[in-house]
Amino acid sequence: MRNLLSFTGKRARASRANERARDLDRHGRTEEAIREYERALRLDPEWSVPAYNLGFIYKYSGNWELSLKHNLRATRLAPEDQAGWWNLGIAATALHQWDTARMAWRNAGIAVPDGEGPVDYPCGMAPIRLNPEADAEVVWSQRLDPARAVLRNIPLPESGFRFGDIVLNDGAATGHRKLDDREVPVFNCLGLMQASQFSTWVIDVEFQEAPDSNLAAVERLGELATARDLAAEDWSTSIRILCKACSEGSPAAEHDHDSSSDRRHRVAIAAPDSEQAQRLVEDWEAHTGSVTVLAFELVSSAPG
């Protein structure tokens, strides 16, 4: 009976510290929250919850070493909790600890293959929310594994991201978008893993034909870009401004707008250098005969 009373008293004190930490974290007092979670762990070292919470709080602060450490402890103490394995997989991916990442994904129920280096487990197309805590922007990506994705839209320059960047993504869905006839989850970006070698140019163009012809001209630009392993997007028609509620849910139809009737458009080009970008635009002008380029501007440069 003495041992049982000691255990329940220890867990109760740890639980109170854990709840204080959660309340502090909700109010943005992160450092104080961390101290309370650590107190809970000292009070009850065999309780997984404060270890998980520390791994979680360090994940969102980008301290991957400490996130890995505490998620390893949480999964040892509660191996049945898949959320702990997911967070461990994300932290291991951020640190390029690929063997640990493979172990984590398998314990989370994902049959990733054996291998060395980065996990090779394509997860299809998914929207990624860049800068989720600031001026968020949702772009489409090709997921390379459960925690990595390569951006397949051309992000706005103010996002700090570019076409072809490989980013670290969270595992919790924060909204949905339509892909063909099905809804797919939106994942928040947790940071840049590998910078793209593509820069971003913006061209201001004026179409001479009717709106239907404009659409065909934009599609032709996309085809020319794809054939050269480049990318092009008509930002005037592809970008939608959403309120926070719709961005983190399923966008409502009333947010849709059609600017295809405007003759002037802003078009983005992703290319490794200005020569390739300019040649693409010149060839597009020659092929369509119905578009005039008014301005050509570099808005985001690749590193180096």
Side-chain angles (χ1 to χ4, degrees), residues 1-302:
M1 178 64 72
R2 182 178 302 167
N3 290 338
L4 177 60
L5 289 174
S6 174
F7 170 78
T8 56
K10 179 172 61 176
R11 179 61 54 85
R13 292 194 299 274
S15 180
R16 288 193 292 271
N18 186 74
E19 286 305 308
R20 285 195 299 272
R22 291 182 60 190
D23 187 62
L24 288 164
D25 191 32
R26 280 194 294 268
H27 288 86
R29 298 163 63 179
T30 305
E31 293 303 319
E32 294 172 83
I34 288 171
R35 288 195 290 273
E36 287 299 315
Y37 283 135
E38 290 172 341
R39 187 195 310 276
L41 267 182
R42 288 195 299 273
L43 288 167
D44 193 345
E46 297 305 308
W47 191 28
S48 69
V49 171
Y52 172 87
N53 288 336
L54 278 167
F56 186 85
I57 207 169
Y58 282 124
K59 176 178 78 168
Y60 287 115
S61 66
N63 190 329
W64 297 112
E65 290 82 3
L66 287 178
S67 183
L68 183 84
K69 170 187 172 182
H70 290 292
N71 280 306
L72 278 169
R73 182 171 182 172
T75 54
R76 176 180 62 81
L77 295 172
E80 73 287 350
D81 183 6
Q82 286 200 352
W85 291 112
W86 264 93
N87 285 340
L88 177 59
I90 292 169
T93 300
L95 295 169
H96 295 193
Q97 295 189 17
W98 304 116
D99 289 343
T100 302
R102 286 184 176 84
M103 175 193 70
W105 300 135
R106 287 168 182 163
N107 279 284
I110 303 171
V112 299
D114 292 331
E116 296 181 359
V119 175
D120 182 14
Y121 191 80
C123 298
M125 297 293 291
I128 299 291
R129 180 176 290 105
L130 307 175
N131 303 314
E133 301 303 322
D135 294 327
E137 176 184 356
V138 177
V139 298
W140 283 94
S141 74
Q142 178 70 49
R143 296 179 70 199
L144 304 175
D145 65 34
R148 291 183 305 139
V150 57
L151 303 186
R152 292 306 186 197
N153 279 138
I154 306 176
L156 295 170
E158 51 267 31
S159 73
F161 292 89
R162 286 167 296 106
F163 174 85
D165 280 343
I166 296 177
V167 299
L168 185 72
N169 63 267
D170 205 355
T174 54
H176 293 81
R177 297 291 186 274
K178 282 282 190 180
L179 179 62
D180 298 325
D181 294 327
R182 60 190 178 91
E183 287 199 333
V184 293
V186 180
F187 298 105
N188 283 347
C189 173
L190 297 173
L192 177 66
M193 290 199 68
Q194 183 178 324
S196 168
Q197 294 305 304
F198 285 78
S199 297
T200 305
W201 283 264
V202 170
I203 56 173
D204 292 327
V205 303
E206 185 171 31
F207 292 108
Q208 308 302 322
E209 304 292 344
D212 288 346
S213 299
N214 297 349
L215 179 60
V218 170
E219 290 176 348
R220 181 57 178 155
L221 174 62
E223 292 167 357
L224 289 170
T226 300
R228 303 167 193 222
D229 295 323
L230 309 179
E233 292 180 21
D234 183 355
W235 278 350
S236 294
T237 56
S238 65
I239 294 176
R240 304 168 66 196
I241 307 300
L242 303 178
C243 65
K244 181 177 174 63
C246 283
S247 178
E248 296 181 358
S250 295
E254 56 264 27
H255 281 291
D256 286 334
H257 63 279
D258 181 10
S259 60
S260 61
S261 60
D262 299 331
R263 292 192 181 277
R264 292 199 175 188
H265 288 222
R266 286 177 61 79
V267 176
I269 305 291
D273 54 63
S274 61
E275 182 180 349
Q276 293 186 62
Q278 288 176 331
R279 190 181 303 121
L280 171 65
V281 174
E282 290 167 0
D283 290 350
W284 180 46
E285 285 185 281
H287 275 86
T288 60
S290 62
V291 60
T292 301
V293 176
L294 305 174
F296 184 98
E297 179 186 6
L298 175 67
V299 296
S300 181
S301 298

